[in-house]
Amino acid sequence: MAESGTLPTGFGELEVLAVGTVLLVEALSGLSLNSLTILCFCKNPELRTPSHLLVLSLALSDSGISLNALMAATSSLLRVSHRRWPYGSEGCQVHGFQGFATVLASICSSAAIAWGRYHHYCTRSRLDWNTAVSLVFFVWLSSAFWATLPLLGWGHYDHEPLGTCCTLDYSRRDRNFTSFLFTMAFFNFLLPLFITVISYRLMEQKLGKTGRPPVNTVLPARTLLLGWGPYALLYLYAAVADVTSISPKLQMVPALIAKAVPTVNAINYALGSEMVHRGIWQCLSPQKRERDREQ
């Protein structure tokens, strides 16, 4: 982290402002789309199904990521004038915990949706409420558990190179960091990615014989891999080599890519669904709401 009164090493005022602007656009885009999705789920009874509960969980977690990005964007814009992280050390820990918990919940919710869709379309029994609620409860409990561990000493939250957001401190190449990283990455990235890929691959094999699958079976896995893969590569490199050999600007690229995931997820899971799309239209259409009340 740069000292108070100075800009971070490797960044000029224009670059800090550019990063803050990108984060602001990503935050507002993801927050607006996912908030609209949540609103429609709450107002449209047709969407209150076990399968859509999993999508609601994803929208909630992605809204949390967007709120985290909004805080980072505000910090970036304030950094140009104040030249320091404006929320103190405790604020950094809270920001790191909130961001990490919602990121893990988003990744695991995507895997839960993939499994739920396979269960719904490829088995004779539909997803029931008990299973869906249990999945959502497990996703959030597991995410909170892993995000709490750095606060307890296994892993550590600290500022990213720009000093405007907080995440896992990958600058410490010690046993504490590497043991936490590899354990966490297996259960919260590799395993969910495996479940997502296998679930959609089995759907393609089963439903491809009778026609086109009813959902996009390619984009979810690509979003996980391309959205969070750069972060995973950066952390892996930090665990085995000197991360300072990578320029601070390049180290910020995975964060900017990841903050776009909530927008992509909203477009794929919510706006890409005919039923959800119809529900959003009903929420936005005053005439439709008036007819519903009259009925």
Side-chain angles (χ1 to χ4, degrees), residues 23-41 59-60 62-70 259-267 270-271 276 280 283-284:
L23 287 171
L24 183 62
V25 172
E26 291 177 325
L28 294 179
S29 174
L31 192 58
S32 58
L33 290 176
N34 284 287
S35 296
L36 181 60
T37 302
I38 295 169
L39 177 64
C40 292
F41 281 150
L60 287 170
D62 283 344
S63 295
I65 296 174
S66 296
L67 285 173
N68 190 271
L70 184 61
K259 295 299 190 295
V261 170
T263 300
V264 177
N265 282 341
I267 293 173
L271 300 181
V276 179
I280 291 175
C283 289
L284 296 179

Side-chain angles (χ1 to χ4, degrees), residues 7-29:
L7 286 173
T9 303
F11 293 92
E13 287 190 3
L14 185 60
E15 292 160 335
V16 175
L17 184 62
V19 171
T21 302
V22 172
L23 287 171
L24 183 62
V25 172
E26 291 177 325
L28 294 179
S29 174

Side-chain angles (χ1 to χ4, degrees), residues 61-85:
S61 60
D62 283 344
S63 295
I65 296 174
S66 296
L67 285 173
N68 190 271
L70 184 61
M71 184 176 178
T74 304
S75 175
S76 297
L77 298 176
L78 289 175
R79 182 105 198 196
V80 176
S81 57
H82 294 141
R83 305 294 176 94
R84 63 183 176 82
W85 167 259

Side-chain angles (χ1 to χ4, degrees), residues 74-128:
T74 304
S75 175
S76 297
L77 298 176
L78 289 175
R79 182 105 198 196
V80 176
S81 57
H82 294 141
R83 305 294 176 94
R84 63 183 176 82
W85 167 259
Y87 307 111
S89 58
E90 292 185 358
C92 179
Q93 298 302 303
V94 172
H95 186 251
F97 170 82
Q98 186 270 342
F100 195 43
T102 51
V103 163
L104 297 183
S106 176
I107 294 173
C108 293
S109 291
S110 296
I113 292 172
W115 180 87
R117 285 177 169 178
Y118 168 77
H119 184 83
H120 178 79
Y121 291 110
C122 299
T123 65
R124 295 182 179 181
S125 59
R126 291 196 172 190
L127 187 68
D128 57 50

Side-chain angles (χ1 to χ4, degrees), residues 35-48 56 279-280 282-284 289 292-293:
S35 296
L36 181 60
T37 302
I38 295 169
L39 177 64
C40 292
F41 281 150
C42 295
K43 288 187 171 293
N44 193 332
E46 294 182 6
L47 299 179
R48 297 171 193 165
L56 177 62
I280 291 175
Q282 290 176 359
C283 289
L284 296 179
R289 291 199 302 267
D292 292 341
R293 282 195 291 266

Side-chain angles (χ1 to χ4, degrees), residues 274-290:
E274 182 179 352
M275 181 176 291
V276 179
H277 189 271
R278 187 169 63 248
I280 291 175
W281 176 251
Q282 290 176 359
C283 289
L284 296 179
S285 174
Q287 294 180 351
K288 178 62 179 176
R289 291 199 302 267
E290 186 64 28

